[in-house]
Amino acid sequence: MALKPREETLVFLNYGERTLSDDGCLTCGNVAVPVRVLKVQGNVAEVEDRLGERTTVALDFVPDARVGEMLLIHLGIALGRAQEVE
Amino acid sequence: MRYVDEFRNPQLIEKASRELHAIVEPDRVYRFMEVCGGHTFSIFRFGIQHLLPPNIELIHGPGCPVCVLPMGRMDDGLHLADEPDVIFTAFGDVMRIPGSRGTPLELKAKGRDIRMVYSPLDALRLAQKEPERKVVFFAIGFETTAPSTALTLIKARELEVKNFFVLSNHVLILPAMRAILESPDMRIDGFLGPGHVSTVIGVRPYEFVAKHYGRPVVVAGFEPLDLLQSLIMLVKQVNAGSARVENQYSRVVPWEGNERALAAMAEVFEVRPFFEWRGLGFISQSALKIKHEFAPWDAEVHFTLAGLRVTDPKAAQCGEVLKGVLKPHQCKLFGRECTPERPVGALMVSSEGACAAYYQYTWQGAAGE
Ligand code: SF4
């Protein structure tokens, strides 16, 4: 896994420090993991976290997700997209 | 664009802390509840209370689903694991919740087929792979987690999976806030609203807190600066005598929430007339039941549950701690009979429970207070 440039890491961290391999408390739902969309295929997307770990997530709740966008995922399902901060 | 660096920048934190000291009115006590366990955890982890003026008191709310699950409900679930054809599945954090006969992990060691899953969708996949067995998913969580369970049930119906069942223990954060606001010994001046729950439900649903109870709500992020900024927003509202709902965490939380996630929840779940919360008792309309249309996948319909009730020991003062009447270390059992290794009460169970967080991060400090 290639190390991400600092800027990119900071963008991820803006939306939380969790990564896909974190095993914190899932049930409180405050572990939404920020990920970047790499590929969209139907209603699943291949995504990558700030450490470069990849997984596929269901896009049923964010069906218009696009490649390059930052999503917040919880339990293998995208729950929302990160909004730009001014 | 601002980065998390800034949300942890010591100068900015110092500045926010100074602003907070400057705006609080000295002859007034501000009691704010952080509803969500994630906030409780951040507050202790970053030592936020040390950055606050002494007259701001943080009260740790009920926002940890593991903590508020009654032991009887866990026992009901684990009874299903006794049946030889059942595979019992749950999230990792459920594996450590004690039932009367032990935790799921301990029962697994005794030979029950109990498996940890990361997503309810994984449990559904397992059911497809093991068509001869019955896969039960022990569902737990607030509005952040409930949409995933709903989606999984919708997919189970689509794929016609007949050996998959969900035992729903999903609870709702708003009725719990209402119950706390209704309680006669309530002394809360405002709320830090939960961050990621609001990704799903949005900000609007908190309006009743402002309108009917005259208390401000600020939906807050999890970084130190997020928390301080949100507290500044709350103090300003209290000083001005106003009660509005504000969104400090707009970089993640849209005002409207996620419509599709809400629609999936509405398709699959209905509100139970009442449900028991550990530490708070029965709260009406506070939990989700699987709708009749999804009965073939409802573990409560398919299996017979004992409906067990196990009461917490009388000496446990979880209810008072939840309502902000007592601090965790003021409970008679804290640190003696009740520790994270051997929790007696609900709030010691997960690391995001108020008593466990308090025990882990500040007990030594607090003991000398
Ligand atoms: S110390 Fe234990 S019994 Fe006392 S309030 Fe906390 S969790 Fe409940």
Side-chain angles (χ1 to χ4, degrees):
Chain A
M1 284 184 271
L3 200 63
K4 291 207 182 326
R6 179 184 137 86
E7 280 293 284
E8 173 72 352
T9 305
L10 290 177
V11 177
F12 272 93
L13 282 171
N14 200 10
Y15 302 101
E17 56 187 330
R18 297 283 180 167
T19 58
L20 292 170
S21 57
D22 263 341
D23 142 12
C25 180
L26 299 177
T27 58
C28 77
N30 278 308
V31 292
V33 180
V35 295
R36 183 78 79 192
V37 180
L38 298 175
K39 204 160 89 192
V40 176
Q41 222 159 26
N43 63 351
V44 289
E46 189 176 344
V47 297
E48 188 181 67
D49 71 5
R50 74 183 152 89
L51 299 182
E53 190 175 333
R54 293 180 183 191
T55 187
T56 48
V57 299
L59 287 183
D60 297 73
F61 298 148
V62 192
D64 49 352
R66 288 181 306 271
V67 171
E69 243 188 331
M70 182 86 76
L71 299 178
L72 285 158
I73 68 166
H74 181 50
L75 311 177
I77 294 165
L79 274 190
R81 46 163 51 90
Q83 332 265 316
E84 293 277 313
V85 200
E86 69 296 337
Chain B
M1 188 145 183
R2 291 189 313 199
Y3 302 130
V4 81
D5 250 18
E6 286 198 25
F7 293 97
R8 291 198 186 161
N9 176 322
Q11 276 99 39
L12 291 177
I13 290 169
E14 167 77 39
K15 193 168 156 247
S17 165
R18 251 186 282 125
E19 181 177 352
L20 206 47
H21 278 80
I23 61 173
V24 290
E25 294 172 4
D27 47 355
R28 180 172 209 164
V29 178
Y30 300 81
R31 292 189 185 86
F32 298 132
M33 172 176 274
E34 85 276 2
V35 178
C36 145
H39 283 150
T40 306
F41 191 73
S42 285
I43 286 165
F44 283 107
R45 171 156 172 233
F46 297 114
I48 299 293
Q49 68 278 40
H50 303 301
L51 303 173
L52 306 182
N55 54 338
I56 293 188
E57 219 179 273
L58 293 178
I59 296 159
H60 317 300
C64 163
V66 165
C67 301
V68 298
L69 183 77
M71 194 186 275
R73 203 64 197 170
M74 193 72 234
D75 284 345
D76 272 355
L78 286 173
H79 271 301
L80 300 181
D82 289 341
E83 302 194 15
D85 56 345
V86 165
I87 305 178
F88 178 95
T89 60
F91 295 142
D93 17 305
V94 171
M95 293 294 171
R96 293 182 289 264
I97 309 181
S100 335
R101 292 182 303 157
T103 65
L105 268 185
E106 286 160 1
L107 289 176
K108 182 183 167 80
K110 287 188 188 143
R112 306 289 187 292
D113 196 344
I114 295 179
R115 304 189 199 181
M116 193 175 109
V117 289
Y118 168 66
S119 160
L121 290 171
D122 292 343
L124 179 61
R125 270 176 225 125
L126 179 65
Q128 287 175 293
K129 250 194 274 156
E130 305 253 7
E132 307 303 316
R133 310 280 302 276
K134 293 176 179 173
V135 173
V136 174
F137 175 65
F138 189 80
I140 171 171
F142 286 111
E143 289 90 330
T144 335
T145 326
S148 325
T149 306
L151 183 64
T152 306
L153 283 166
I154 291 170
K155 298 210 178 218
R157 185 171 64 177
E158 256 168 45
L159 300 165
E160 296 178 36
V161 182
K162 299 212 162 69
N163 59 327
F164 176 69
F165 306 94
V166 170
L167 181 55
S168 168
N169 300 290
H170 284 297
V171 284
L172 301 169
I173 197 73
L174 297 171
M177 286 173 77
R178 185 177 283 118
I180 288 169
L181 283 161
E182 288 284 345
S183 108
D185 44 6
M186 196 279 297
R187 333 184 195 165
I188 293 159
D189 301 304
F191 291 89
L192 292 172
H196 292 145
V197 163
S198 309
T199 316
V200 173
I201 65 173
V203 181
R204 193 191 302 282
Y206 301 104
E207 269 167 2
F208 78 95
V209 180
K211 282 213 182 91
H212 296 282
Y213 298 94
R215 299 292 195 282
V217 179
V218 174
V219 173
F222 298 89
E223 295 298 326
L225 195 59
D226 286 323
L227 290 163
L228 290 172
Q229 278 176 349
S230 304
L231 288 169
I232 291 173
M233 291 159 87
L234 281 175
V235 168
K236 283 188 175 159
Q237 285 207 45
V238 171
N239 287 353
S242 69
R244 280 175 293 117
V245 181
E246 293 182 286
N247 186 8
Q248 185 274 337
Y249 202 32
S250 58
R251 66 186 188 281
V252 168
V253 175
W255 192 266
E256 298 297 334
N258 184 320
E259 266 172 45
R260 280 169 195 268
L262 289 170
M265 275 167 74
E267 183 178 349
V268 171
F269 293 117
E270 63 195 20
V271 175
R272 291 178 197 269
F274 54 84
F275 194 71
E276 188 181 4
W277 291 54
R278 208 173 165 185
L280 285 177
F282 285 92
I283 303 180
S284 66
Q285 321 238 310
S286 66
L288 296 174
K289 177 184 181 314
I290 294 169
K291 273 187 180 168
H292 180 68
E293 291 86 322
F294 286 86
W297 298 274
D298 185 352
E300 282 176 76
V301 174
H302 186 82
F303 300 94
T304 324
L305 299 182
L308 294 172
R309 287 204 62 208
V310 184
T311 45
D312 280 338
K314 280 240 165 51
Q317 292 175 294
C318 312
E320 281 90 335
V321 172
L322 272 179
K323 282 180 260 168
V325 181
L326 290 183
K327 293 256 171 250
H329 68 95
Q330 292 168 328
C331 167
K332 291 192 278 295
L333 303 185
F334 182 86
R336 296 183 194 95
E337 287 90 342
C338 187
T339 60
E341 291 75 47
R342 300 186 63 87
V344 174
L347 309 175
M348 252 328 163
V349 175
S350 103
S351 60
E352 316 220 337
C355 292
Y358 205 89
Y359 187 91
Q360 193 183 351
Y361 285 101
T362 67
W363 188 33
Q364 272 90 12
E369 256 175 26

